[in-house]
Amino acid sequence: QVQLVESGGDLVQPGGSLKLSCAASGSISTIYRMGWYRQAPGQLRELVANMHNSGDTYYADAVKGRFTISRDNAKNTVYLQMDSLEPGDTAVYYCHADYTWGQSWGQGAQVTVSS
């Protein structure tokens, strides 16, 4: 089994930056892809970014050039660096992992972009 614990959600002004962290534990050697999703009130959950074990990455068009996903394998942690934040980025951000036996979700981190 894989467990994910998120941290780093906060209130930030437009144009500001924030970095989310997601620490994985359990059968981490079975993880083959990790990523971040977000869900705004009344909206569907959408994929923001992900990273395969190969290092190949994907970014949604809405965040491309502003967000960066990275992993520290020694710490079993995935990060989402968010720059030039906009009010439209306001959402609950969920860490996600695909692994051999299934998938896991983090508990969610609230990111609010407002002045």
Side-chain angles (χ1 to χ4, degrees):
Q1 306 298 322
V2 172
Q3 296 80 43
L4 305 174
V5 178
E6 301 178 38
S7 62
D10 207 348
L11 171 66
V12 63
Q13 293 186 343
S17 296
L18 201 61
K19 189 172 186 176
L20 303 180
S21 299
C22 176
S25 62
S27 302
I28 57 176
S29 63
T30 67
I31 298 173
Y32 62 86
R33 183 172 60 200
M34 296 190 70
W36 293 91
Y37 291 72
R38 68 184 183 186
Q39 187 168 26
Q43 303 296 314
L44 297 174
R45 188 171 298 185
E46 63 177 349
L47 176 63
V48 176
N50 64 22
M51 175 179 283
H52 192 269
N53 284 352
S54 67
D56 188 53
T57 59
Y58 164 86
Y59 295 95
D61 288 343
V63 307
K64 195 171 299 182
R66 300 188 297 118
F67 290 11
T68 304
I69 188 170
S70 62
R71 291 175 67 175
D72 185 334
N73 291 329
K75 298 180 179 179
N76 302 317
T77 300
V78 64
Y79 305 94
L80 185 67
Q81 176 67 47
M82 303 181 290
D83 298 318
S84 301
L85 283 163
E86 305 168 354
D89 297 318
T90 296
V92 178
Y93 285 71
Y94 296 93
C95 183
H96 179 265
D98 289 298
Y99 64 102
T100 301
W101 307 107
Q103 60 179 326
S104 295
W105 293 92
Q107 80 277 15
Q110 177 68 53
V111 174
T112 301
V113 184
S114 176
S115 59

